[in-house]
């Protein structure tokens, strides 16, 4: 498994649990889950680029 | 006293939705028959079991699938199952592992999981297992909130 695949799977499962447990209606659960997923993966990509640029 | 608190808490969702207090659905009434702390304990022991007890089948299946998959992936990546504590971080890791309930105990008894992390992916696997335990605790608390009526 690549590191990025691990990040995506981690984000997916954590977002599903966050969405279901932190919101009350199905619609808001989906929206919050998607929001968490984007934040997880987006921040991982952003931090990766920052570390790549620092290491150069 | 405790019964009164539970009763008033159970009426909150009905008040929020504008429904009559006596107009609870059959499923809601049946979920109120479950002992207050049973969904919390069952949800901790078996992922999703707290929601299944309250007849929240969809939520329970999604939570169980996510937590089980995360735990299984952690084991597949040769993640470490903590068994002894050397420092404060190990203690936190063990607390996270214990959040998996029976999954942790059965895996320990079956000899699954690495004793020592030797590759980078195994370090990720260890985090997957710890986070699966923490998510399971959140899920169990959510089941308890559903039972008491703090959440609908």
């Amino acid at each position: 498994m690549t590191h990025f695949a691990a990040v995506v799977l981690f984000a997916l499962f954590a977002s599903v649990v966050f969405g279901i447990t932190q919101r009350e209606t199905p619609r808001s659960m989906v929206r919050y889950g998607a929001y968490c997923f984007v934040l997880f993966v987006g921040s991982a990509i952003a931090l990766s680029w920052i570390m790549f640029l620092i290491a150069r | 006293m405790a019964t009164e608190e539970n009763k008033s808490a159970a009426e909150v969702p009905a008040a929020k939705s504008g429904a009559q207090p006596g107009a609870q659905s059959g499923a809601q009434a049946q979920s109120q028959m479950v002992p207050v702390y049973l969904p919390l304990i069952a949800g901790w022991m078996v992922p999703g079991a707290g929601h299944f007890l309250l007849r929240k089948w969809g939520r329970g299946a999604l939570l169980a699938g996510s937590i089980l998959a995360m735990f299984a992936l952690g084991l597949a990546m040769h993640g470490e199952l903590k068994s002894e504590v050397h420092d404060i971080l190990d203690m936190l890791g063990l607390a996270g592992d214990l959040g998996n309930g029976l999954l942790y105990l059965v895996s320990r008894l079956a000899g699954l999981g690495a004793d020592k992390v030797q590759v980078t992916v195994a370090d990720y696997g260890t985090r997957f297992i710890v986070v699966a335990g923490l998510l399971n605790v959140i899920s169990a608390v959510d089941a308890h909130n559903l039972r008491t009526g703090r959440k609908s």
Side-chain angles (χ1 to χ4, degrees):
Chain A
M1 180 184 292
T2 65
H3 294 188
F4 186 69
V7 165
V8 171
L9 287 172
F10 182 98
L12 177 68
F13 297 135
S15 301
V16 168
V17 176
F18 283 173
I20 292 172
T21 58
Q22 304 301 312
R23 292 293 182 272
E24 297 214 1
T25 61
R27 186 180 169 82
S28 60
M29 285 176 186
V30 171
R31 288 186 63 174
Y32 187 67
Y35 173 72
C36 289
F37 181 78
V38 169
L39 277 187
F40 269 127
V41 177
S43 57
I45 292 171
L47 286 170
S48 303
W49 273 106
I50 290 169
M51 286 188 282
F52 172 74
L53 294 172
I54 288 172
R56 285 186 73 186
Chain B
M1 183 71 180
T3 312
E4 280 299 310
E5 282 174 5
N6 292 335
K7 189 180 172 188
S8 58
E11 287 168 356
V12 171
K16 273 185 192 171
S17 63
Q20 295 295 323
Q24 284 186 326
S25 68
Q28 280 178 321
Q30 280 184 333
S31 72
Q32 295 298 316
M33 302 287 284
V34 177
V36 177
Y37 289 103
L38 186 59
L40 178 70
I41 295 166
W44 173 38
M45 287 293 127
V46 180
H51 288 77
F52 290 143
L53 275 174
L54 300 172
R55 297 172 184 277
K56 300 282 185 185
W57 307 111
R59 294 185 201 186
L62 281 169
L63 290 170
S66 298
I67 293 163
L68 289 172
M70 208 161 188
F71 187 82
L73 279 171
L75 290 179
M77 286 191 265
H78 303 289
E80 181 186 4
L81 278 175
K82 303 270 184 210
S83 57
E84 49 192 36
V85 173
H86 299 294
D87 55 39
I88 187 79
L89 285 177
D90 280 345
M91 205 179 292
L92 292 173
L94 180 63
D97 280 2
L98 286 172
N100 286 299
L102 287 180
L103 282 179
Y104 172 76
L105 293 176
V106 170
S107 301
R108 285 287 315 159
L109 290 174
L112 299 173
D115 290 328
K116 196 166 186 178
V117 171
Q118 291 177 330
V119 292
T120 310
V121 174
D123 200 28
Y124 293 171
T126 305
R127 305 298 160 241
F128 267 61
I129 293 169
V130 171
V131 173
L134 297 175
L135 291 176
N136 192 39
V137 171
I138 294 175
S139 162
V141 171
D142 185 61
H144 179 64
N145 286 338
L146 285 168
R147 169 59 187 84
T148 57
R150 282 195 204 105
K151 189 182 171 194
S152 56

